[in-house]
């Protein structure tokens, strides 16, 4: 079965010019890696617990009822302790600004970001919007109000 297709209009911004568009690395990759669209020779160094907004050089128009999620790359997180501070970041379909990655360094060592580095990944997903139905009582269930570790304790 093929993947759902989602055509996304994209504009490449100046400082990202020359970088490839993000792509799926394998035929079944869920996310496309986002490149740091820093200027030629520009670097950003994150000290321990520091964060920064990393430009991707992309402005896009997702179709109605889609979103994009900015998620960490597991390699960066495991090797360098560098992750996405607001993970998953939410890109709304009506957002026309530059997509940015909020990277945070959770390690004890400084981490330097260079132009073209793959700093995060972006997953395209369909959006469901909920509609409230206000009622007096909720139906009864086996779980009831139990949560936060309530199962398996008796
Ligand atoms: O990691 C992210 C998260 C958000 N955005 C952009 C796209 C998104 O559509 C917009 C607003 O994001 P969000 O709703 O998460 O931010 P907010 O703090 O609630 O701001 P706003 O009041 O502008 O909605 O910012 C990014 O570029 N990267």
């Amino acid at each position: 079965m093929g993947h759902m297709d989602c055509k996304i209009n994209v504009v490449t911004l100046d400082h990202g010019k020359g970088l490839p568009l993000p792509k799926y690395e394998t035929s079944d990759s869920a996310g496309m890696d986002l490149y740091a669209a820093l200027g030629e020779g520009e670097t950003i160094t994150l000290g321990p617990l520091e964060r920064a907004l990393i430009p991707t050089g992309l402005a896009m128009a997702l179709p109605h009822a889609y979103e994009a999620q900015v998620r960490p790359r597991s390699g960066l997180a495991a090797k360098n302790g560098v992750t996405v501070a607001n993970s998953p970041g939410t890109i709304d379909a009506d957002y026309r600004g530059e997509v940015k990655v909020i990277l945070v360094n959770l390690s004890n060592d400084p981490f330097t970001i260079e132009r073209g580095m793959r700093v995060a990944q972006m997953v395209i997903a369909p959006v469901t919007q909920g509609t409230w139905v206000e009622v007096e009582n909720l139906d009864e269930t086996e779980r009831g109000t139990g949560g936060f570790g309530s199962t398996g304790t008796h």
Side-chain angles (χ1 to χ4, degrees):
M1 196 175 69
H3 296 108
M4 284 169 60
D5 186 36
C6 176
K7 298 216 180 322
I8 307 167
N9 288 347
V10 64
V11 169
T12 310
L13 305 171
D14 265 339
H15 53 264
K17 281 266 158 64
L19 291 175
L21 283 173
K23 62 175 189 301
Y24 296 100
E25 296 291 342
T26 71
S27 60
D28 260 334
S29 290
M32 342 184 207
D33 289 343
L34 296 172
Y35 302 100
L38 301 182
E40 219 49 80
E42 185 189 349
T43 60
I44 295 178
T45 296
L46 296 178
L49 294 183
E50 280 182 356
R51 60 184 184 278
L53 275 171
I54 310 299
T56 64
L58 304 172
M60 62 194 195
L62 289 161
H64 169 70
Y66 281 87
E67 62 154 340
Q69 301 174 4
V70 179
R71 302 192 196 171
R73 293 188 65 209
S74 60
L76 265 191
K79 284 189 214 131
N80 306 100
V82 171
T83 187
V84 176
N86 61 331
S87 181
T90 304
I91 312 297
D92 301 286
D94 56 1
Y95 178 67
R96 297 292 175 269
E98 180 172 16
V99 172
K100 295 191 177 171
V101 177
I102 310 173
L103 268 196
V104 61
N105 179 4
L106 300 181
S107 79
N108 292 318
D109 304 311
F111 182 80
T112 299
I113 299 141
E114 295 166 2
R115 174 180 169 82
M117 197 177 261
R118 289 177 296 154
V119 289
Q121 61 183 313
M122 187 174 72
V123 171
I124 308 298
V127 169
T128 303
Q129 283 194 342
T131 309
W132 295 114
V133 181
E134 226 170 340
V135 294
E136 290 296 323
N137 295 294
L138 302 174
D139 64 317
E140 282 177 23
T141 68
E142 187 182 346
R143 172 181 289 276
T145 58
F148 316 101
S150 68
T151 59
T153 54
H154 49 80

